[in-house]
Amino acid sequence: MMHRIPLLLALLISPAISLVAFGQENIPHAERMFFEEKVRPILVGKCYQCHAEDAKEIGGKLLLDSRAGILKGGESGPAVVPGDPEKSLLLDALHYESFEMPPDKPLSEAEIHLVSQWIERGAWDPRMKEAQSGPKESWTPQELWSFYPRQVIDPPSVGRQDWPQGSIDRFVLHKIEAAGAQPTEDAELSALVRRLYYDLIGLPPTLEEIQTFVQAATKDRRRATEALVDELLARPQFGEHWGRHWLDVARYGESNGNDGLSRNATFPHAWRYRDYVIDAINRDIPYDRFLTEQIAGDLLPAATPQERNRLLVATGFLAIGSKPASAMNKDFPMDIVDDQINTVSTAIMGLSVACARCHDHKHDPIPTRDYYALAGIFKSSETLYGAAGNEKLTAPPTELHVLASELPDGGGKRDEMKSPLALPGKYFEQLQHRKPVVSVSLDELPDRWKEVGSSKFSDAEFAQLKESYLQGSAADLTSDYTISFWFKNELENNARPITAYLFTRGELGNKEIPGDHLGIGGKHDPKRTGRLFVFNGNRKKESLAGTTVIVPGTWNHVVMVRKGDRLSVYLNGLEKPEIDGKLEPTFGNESRFSLGGRSEGFAPLTGNLAHFSLFSKSLSGADVVALHDASERPKGVMQLGLAMGVREAKKPADCKVHINGTSAKLGAEIPRGALTACWEVVQGDESSPIVPDLKIPKSDSGRLELAAWITDPRQPQTWRVMVNRIWLKLMGEGLVATPDDFGVFGARPTHPELLDWLAQDFIERGGSVKSLIRSIVLSRTYQLSSDYGPQFAEQDPENILLTRHRKRRLSAEQLRDSILSASGALDLEPSVGSPIQEIDALINQPPHEASTLHQPSSHRSIYLCYMRNAPPAELAAFDLPDGLKVTGKRSQTILPAQSLFLLNSSFVIQQAENLAALITVDPATTTEDKIKQAFHRALQRDPTASELDQATRLLERLQREYSDSSKSKPMAPWAVFCQALFASNEFRYVD
């Protein structure tokens, strides 16, 4: 038998294996997609005009439309040296060094960066012929297997009737018996319980939990296993573990990553999408609903504010992708659309639709027109990603979803806010109780006030301003002060750069405009459009802004409180200030003020003002709330935070074909819709498609209709893809080995009948992920041993027949969490927010700045900060996805860096010391008992007699060595021993 790898005390170091890219047919899927989605569009759009077989004149005898052409090169030699951008003539030419390509206009820095990346990664090139004139025109049914409807058959009969524990086992055993093979033995109970804990919640069991299960399973294995599985599925840690799997697929990241110009902007609000995923999986939201929420959550009805907020956050799925630089990039909006098409099609359907951006798909039946049918849907949606690090060269800033304490009222509260302003007597009693130095109703021009321009005053509308404003003063006004007034803006918020200035305390007419200036943002800054802001003048140029959009035509109550260098603005009686922060006062001793315009008259209010009061002191928040409550007017809506996501564009429209994938030349307009040609290929002359095409109202983007189309039970790919993803995570390999590619170049299913049966069963279970997982882990196939002898190695060397379970290494997150669990430091409470939730900036200027943003944490690894190009140090060495693309299957490398991490990482060393402190806390405990405690916590078992002897001798040797050292620490030998346990194969692998 091939047994568990014995204990530890030595670290495994293996050299990295390098692969040669050029000339190798077996191109990794990720590299094929990188070329098709990133590089080929650049070559086609910018190079083929002069460097393709059909060019009128081939420049420098260099062909770039084939792999062979690039390899051969032109008059000056090979165009690229795979793996070495600096020695590649193509890159020199793109940089305008030795040559100038393209001659009329250089590529953007972002495009050059992509070509450089491609060369550095090995210049993988899937173009097999010297020139390929067009897409493939015919396919075999085997190539297009995933496009055909599911063929669901009953579980087959088998010879060993006593072996299967359910339908899954019948499919598996039938194939095993047909091959003349046999499955291995069932896993030992101690191995099975550890496997279940890691697969379901991503954490190891305690020794006591193992013992409890073994005792129960010895009496009734099936019943004990069912009870344990149900308990683990109900734990909150289930959503944390399986949520991480979906975040891989959703290309989750908390920063943009390198935008092509070496800038990396934070995404301070991305963590809300992480929390949404964890919550949705724990709640076992049906898979079709789960997908619909992420594609079109903003369009779904919600009965409560909490549900509305949740649905808005869900659309972060479409917004959190990495974005290329917008600088000198006219195609930036289409690049975002391209990412959305690629993510939706690859993550959900296992199809690389984005390859059809600049040409018909080269190997799948997806024409360019289908790409632009989808593009119209996403282009008719507005992507809300935020400030992009406040660097417009990276990405123009956008709004974010505002999460609120109330539902959009459909006109109720808004209509009430638009009603005439008539305040009760108790409001004025509250005002006078706080002793204002100025209090005027503004139903007429107050005494000694000045009117600039022409205004109207009345009992019903108060001060009506249009390109006019008012000026006044207050004797002996203190530096700490408060103003309170009501206003109504009648101008559209994006009508001009600044919608309106409402109040100024500052010197009149001074061009440097010192003072406190309260206004409503306009189109100058999309982040502030329609929102209150305060500005302290042109000398200091500091400002603060709120998040609530002021609806034109509504009466609003605003209170601004100045106390020293702190300024707070309250809106419509909410306890939480709309604006609250430090803003240096610049008004000096000035007691004059302007109302309805800035001190020099810029951007006056078009609207109404009423009941202005000025206090020569700072009112408290309680004062503000009490004052508004007395008005009996509607309270404002509490804003609970911001979230990335998408919403409907103001003017949805179809998209034109972008010739060669760029906006330089546009073709025919394509009606919004979904994939069509692929169904035509598999159906032939049949008139009724497998899944009906979309019917999208002209006024809608079509995202809701697209979500319904994707999740239709008749959809051939969607349900197969998710079933395969779940099988992969539980069994170590998918029934389809390429989980992100169900197309022609993807792998064929090893058990097609089982795949289709599982997909249909998944649908019939209501899309319950928990139920699907439960059925798989309760199968005998899942519960087989990972130990096997020569017979099994010979009859099923790659385990294609599933004759055994696959031994698997812990993921990066599982390894870190297991170390924390063993050391006693793991905090199972969910972490709140993110270390960068208040940081909206570029994080790689100066270089390595991002490393300082990672904060020490004892929470589970899913709550660490996942910045692109700046991953958590505790995870980076162990094949952590980069968040740049859909990753359904992580790499499994064995590199020296991993062993070096376990030897040298300050995190591992600290946790080893924590574990050593736990087992040595009682000085009366014997060495043997301490060793046993360490084994219990790290490996959940007793040491063997041999291991106990080895560990004892190791500790004795270490104690002698440390006793001779001037830096001796009593606990140090035990810490070294504990670190060795963490580095052992047994700790890092699951049987």
Side-chain angles (χ1 to χ4, degrees):
M1 292 287 284
M2 298 179 69
H3 296 287
R4 170 196 295 139
I5 299 174
L7 177 73
L8 54 103
L9 306 186
L11 302 177
L12 178 63
I13 300 180
S14 296
I17 299 173
S18 61
L19 297 175
V20 179
F22 265 82
Q24 184 166 328
E25 304 296 327
N26 189 22
I27 298 177
H29 178 71
E31 302 306 327
R32 182 186 299 278
M33 290 301 99
F34 187 86
F35 177 84
E36 294 290 358
E37 295 170 9
K38 307 295 184 184
V39 180
R40 192 196 286 262
I42 296 173
L43 296 176
V44 171
K46 305 295 177 67
C47 306
Y48 278 18
Q49 185 176 356
C50 301
H51 298 282
E53 275 196 343
D54 58 356
K56 292 181 179 179
E57 183 178 347
I58 299 175
K61 298 182 180 180
L62 171 64
L63 289 173
L64 297 178
D65 59 347
S66 67
R67 183 180 64 181
I70 290 181
L71 180 62
K72 180 181 177 181
E75 295 173 335
S76 301
V80 304
V81 178
D84 196 340
E86 292 186 2
K87 293 182 180 179
S88 298
L89 293 177
L90 176 61
L91 209 61
D92 288 347
L94 298 182
H95 280 301
Y96 274 42
E97 294 177 359
S98 51
F99 309 95
E100 294 183 358
M101 287 174 49
D104 52 343
K105 182 182 178 182
L107 298 184
S108 69
E109 287 295 327
E111 290 171 319
I112 295 173
H113 176 71
L114 285 172
V115 175
S116 177
Q117 271 190 303
W118 172 61
I119 296 172
E120 188 173 6
R121 291 164 66 135
W124 299 90
D125 189 339
R127 297 173 299 174
M128 305 305 294
K129 293 184 286 188
E130 294 212 6
Q132 191 162 327
S133 58
K136 187 173 180 178
E137 295 182 355
S138 62
W139 298 264
T140 66
Q142 290 74 27
E143 288 177 318
L144 297 184
W145 68 271
S146 77
F147 293 89
Y148 284 88
R150 292 183 299 277
Q151 301 295 317
V152 182
I153 63 172
D154 292 333
S157 59
V158 295
R160 293 178 59 181
Q161 291 291 329
D162 61 334
W163 192 84
Q165 294 182 172
S167 299
I168 292 173
D169 296 329
R170 289 187 173 276
F171 283 104
V172 172
L173 184 59
H174 177 76
K175 203 170 188 74
I176 291 174
E177 289 180 338
Q182 61 180 347
T184 190
E185 300 297 322
D186 295 339
E188 294 180 2
L189 293 175
S190 57
L192 177 60
V193 63
R194 190 168 184 264
R195 182 188 303 170
L196 285 168
Y197 267 79
Y198 271 118
D199 281 350
L200 296 187
I201 64 171
L203 294 169
T206 63
L207 178 61
E208 292 75 16
E209 287 170 329
I210 290 178
Q211 292 171 340
T212 299
F213 173 77
V214 170
Q215 185 177 6
T218 301
K219 299 175 182 177
D220 190 332
R221 178 175 178 134
R222 187 176 184 88
R223 180 175 295 180
T225 305
E226 289 176 349
L228 176 60
V229 169
D230 290 340
E231 179 200 341
L232 294 175
L233 289 172
R235 291 191 187 184
Q237 289 77 39
F238 171 80
E240 293 169 335
H241 177 57
W242 280 85
R244 182 60 247 187
H245 293 330
W246 182 258
L247 293 179
D248 282 5
V249 172
R251 81 294 184 219
Y252 175 71
E254 292 187 71
S255 73
N256 187 72
N258 189 341
D259 64 357
L261 299 178
S262 299
R263 290 170 304 194
N264 190 356
T266 57
F267 289 164
H269 310 285
W271 62 271
R272 293 189 187 276
Y273 175 74
R274 172 202 72 196
D275 286 2
Y276 158 81
V277 170
I278 294 171
D279 174 68
I281 290 177
N282 271 331
R283 292 167 58 184
D284 200 20
I285 290 176
Y287 185 58
D288 53 347
R289 172 73 182 193
F290 180 60
L291 295 179
T292 301
E293 290 178 353
Q294 294 176 80
I295 296 171
D298 58 310
L299 304 176
L300 296 174
T304 65
Q306 294 78 15
E307 180 68 2
R308 176 65 178 162
N309 294 339
R310 201 182 70 80
L311 293 173
L312 293 178
V313 171
T315 64
F317 174 68
L318 296 173
I320 60 174
S322 177
K323 297 157 184 62
S326 65
M328 298 177 289
N329 180 7
K330 294 180 181 179
D331 296 314
F332 177 78
M334 280 302 296
D335 289 342
I336 291 181
V337 167
D338 187 72
D339 168 70
Q340 292 166 341
I341 291 174
N342 183 60
T343 301
V344 169
S345 64
T346 306
I348 300 173
M349 301 180 67
L351 298 175
S352 55
V353 176
C355 293
R357 177 176 180 176
C358 57
H359 51 72
D360 289 346
H361 206 296
K362 294 299 181 182
H363 46 78
D364 285 342
I366 302 171
T368 299
R369 68 175 184 271
D370 278 9
Y371 176 93
Y372 287 97
L374 287 170
I377 293 174
F378 294 108
K379 199 172 182 184
S380 295
S381 306
E382 187 178 353
T383 303
L384 310 178
Y385 49 79
N390 298 297
E391 175 51 75
K392 294 181 180 180
L393 294 178
T394 292
T398 73
E399 294 186 1
L400 292 161
H401 279 309
V402 177
L403 310 179
S405 61
E406 296 182 22
L407 289 169
D409 59 11
K413 178 176 284 191
R414 186 172 297 180
D415 287 347
E416 194 176 347
M417 293 176 71
K418 288 183 177 181
S419 65
L421 187 66
L423 304 181
K426 59 183 178 180
Y427 175 80
F428 302 103
E429 292 174 5
Q430 288 283 349
L431 272 178
Q432 295 307 315
H433 178 67
R434 287 161 178 80
K435 300 179 180 179
V437 296
V438 174
S439 185
V440 291
S441 66
L442 297 179
D443 55 356
E444 61 181 3
L445 183 67
D447 290 344
R448 290 193 287 269
W449 282 40
K450 180 181 178 182
E451 179 184 4
V452 180
S454 179
S455 305
K456 296 180 181 179
F457 299 89
S458 67
D459 292 340
E461 294 295 333
F462 302 92
Q464 294 177 266
L465 309 181
K466 187 174 183 181
E467 299 303 318
S468 60
Y469 61 103
L470 311 176
Q471 294 178 339
S473 64
D476 302 322
L477 183 59
T478 58
S479 57
D480 290 350
Y481 71 100
T482 302
I483 57 168
S484 167
F485 63 94
W486 296 78
F487 73 91
K488 179 167 63 171
N489 167 47
E490 296 286 7
L491 196 66
E492 288 298 320
N493 285 320
N494 60 356
R496 58 188 187 186
I498 300 296
T499 301
Y501 273 96
L502 302 173
F503 171 83
T504 284
R505 178 185 178 181
E507 183 182 350
L508 304 181
N510 188 330
K511 291 183 179 180
E512 288 194 336
I513 53 171
D516 288 344
H517 307 284
L518 173 65
I520 306 172
K523 64 182 180 181
H524 170 69
D525 185 347
K527 303 193 305 297
R528 296 187 175 186
T529 303
R531 297 162 173 85
L532 293 177
F533 70 91
V534 186
F535 176 54
N536 67 354
N538 288 334
R539 179 173 294 178
K540 296 295 182 181
K541 292 187 177 180
E542 298 171 335
S543 65
L544 299 170
T547 57
T548 301
V549 175
I550 305 298
V551 178
T554 59
W555 279 105
N556 297 272
H557 181 210
V558 63
V559 179
M560 185 171 80
V561 181
R562 163 69 76 177
K563 187 171 186 178
D565 62 355
R566 190 159 200 90
L567 193 139
S568 304
V569 177
Y570 296 84
L571 183 64
N572 293 324
L574 289 176
E575 294 180 16
K576 183 181 179 182
E578 174 72 11
I579 299 172
D580 189 34
K582 289 187 176 181
L583 189 71
E584 184 179 345
T586 59
F587 49 78
N589 297 320
E590 186 61 63
S591 61
R592 289 177 293 175
F593 56 83
S594 299
L595 194 61
R598 203 164 68 181
S599 53
E600 90 292 19
F602 176 67
L605 173 70
T606 297
N608 305 68
L609 294 169
H611 301 299
F612 174 81
S613 298
L614 175 60
F615 305 84
S616 198
K617 60 182 177 181
S618 303
L619 294 187
S620 67
D623 287 330
V624 174
V625 172
L627 184 60
H628 184 85
D629 287 348
S631 74
E632 297 182 356
R633 298 286 292 186
K635 261 190 177 301
V637 177
M638 181 71 74
Q639 300 202 3
L640 306 177
L642 301 171
M644 303 173 74
V646 296
R647 67 183 178 192
E648 296 288 82
K650 290 181 175 63
K651 294 181 179 179
D654 296 331
C655 185
K656 291 184 177 181
V657 172
H658 287 48
I659 307 298
N660 293 329
T662 74
S663 59
K665 186 177 181 181
L666 301 179
E669 188 171 87
I670 305 299
R672 278 164 284 159
L675 304 182
T676 56
C678 49
W679 313 131
E680 295 170 6
V681 170
V682 301
Q683 290 181 159
D685 296 330
E686 294 182 25
S687 59
S688 178
I690 297 170
V691 183
D693 198 10
L694 308 189
K695 294 182 179 179
I696 302 172
K698 289 184 178 180
S699 60
D700 298 342
S701 67
R703 280 184 291 117
L704 197 57
E705 291 78 10
L706 175 63
W709 182 87
I710 283 176
T711 60
D712 190 299
R714 293 167 291 183
Q715 190 65 253
Q717 278 106 355
T718 300
W719 303 93
R720 285 170 170 151
V721 167
M722 187 55 174
V723 161
N724 190 63
R725 294 195 188 284
I726 291 172
W727 185 274
L728 165 66
K729 297 304 179 184
L730 295 171
M731 304 298 292
E733 184 61 274
L735 295 170
V736 178
T738 53
D740 301 327
D741 188 358
F742 275 41
V744 171
F745 275 26
R748 303 294 172 263
T750 58
H751 296 67
E753 297 84 4
L754 174 57
L755 179 65
D756 280 2
W757 185 91
L758 283 170
Q760 187 63 34
D761 185 61
F762 187 30
I763 293 170
E764 292 174 0
R765 291 173 185 267
S768 168
V769 170
K770 285 188 177 182
S771 182
L772 175 59
I773 290 173
R774 186 180 190 275
S775 69
I776 294 174
V777 299
L778 290 178
S779 70
R780 193 161 192 178
T781 303
Y782 172 85
Q783 296 179 30
L784 290 175
S785 174
S786 62
D787 290 340
Y788 61 96
Q791 172 190 351
F792 295 94
E794 182 178 345
Q795 67 185 11
D796 189 16
E798 297 182 27
N799 200 29
I800 300 297
L801 299 174
L802 304 174
T803 55
R804 58 190 179 273
H805 200 79
R806 293 177 186 269
K807 187 188 298 288
R808 280 173 284 143
R809 193 183 70 191
L810 298 182
S811 68
E813 294 90 342
Q814 287 175 320
L815 180 61
R816 176 184 174 276
D817 292 353
S818 296
I819 290 173
L820 286 171
S821 179
S823 73
L826 182 63
D827 183 352
L828 288 179
E829 285 297 312
S831 180
V832 177
S834 167
I836 62 162
Q837 65 187 41
E838 301 296 334
I839 300 172
D840 210 340
L842 301 181
I843 57 174
N844 55 342
Q845 299 294 335
H848 310 299
E849 173 99 3
S851 62
T852 65
L853 300 178
H854 291 288
Q855 300 299 315
S857 172
S858 57
H859 292 283
R860 292 199 70 178
S861 298
I862 192 171
Y863 296 112
L864 296 178
C865 188
Y866 285 79
M867 293 178 288
R868 295 181 174 107
N869 297 121
E874 302 100 306
L875 307 178
F878 294 93
D879 303 306
L880 191 71
D882 57 16
L884 299 174
K885 59 186 179 301
V886 174
T887 305
K889 184 179 180 181
R890 292 189 180 185
S891 301
Q892 282 281 335
T893 62
I894 300 175
L895 300 172
Q898 296 164 357
S899 296
L900 292 172
F901 173 85
L902 294 168
L903 279 171
N904 302 317
S905 164
S906 58
F907 166 77
V908 177
I909 293 170
Q910 179 60 59
Q911 299 312 316
E913 291 175 352
N914 290 347
L915 177 55
L918 273 180
I919 63 176
T920 60
V921 67
D922 184 357
T925 306
T926 66
T927 296
E928 180 176 325
D929 284 341
K930 292 173 184 174
I931 293 172
K932 287 182 177 180
Q933 286 182 43
F935 267 75
H936 292 172
R937 294 197 65 89
L939 305 180
Q940 300 89 48
R941 66 175 177 87
D942 283 322
T944 65
S946 174
E947 289 168 339
L948 187 60
D949 177 63
Q950 291 180 57
T952 301
R953 287 189 282 112
L954 171 67
L955 286 162
E956 289 173 350
R957 178 171 63 81
L958 289 172
Q959 285 166 346
R960 287 195 301 271
E961 291 175 358
Y962 275 91
S963 65
D964 297 336
S965 171
S966 60
K967 299 180 181 179
S968 175
K969 296 181 180 179
M971 198 176 60
W974 286 101
V976 171
F977 169 67
C978 292
Q979 188 176 355
L981 289 175
F982 292 157
S984 68
N985 281 338
E986 185 176 344
F987 185 87
R988 293 184 289 144
Y989 283 79
V990 182
D991 289 333

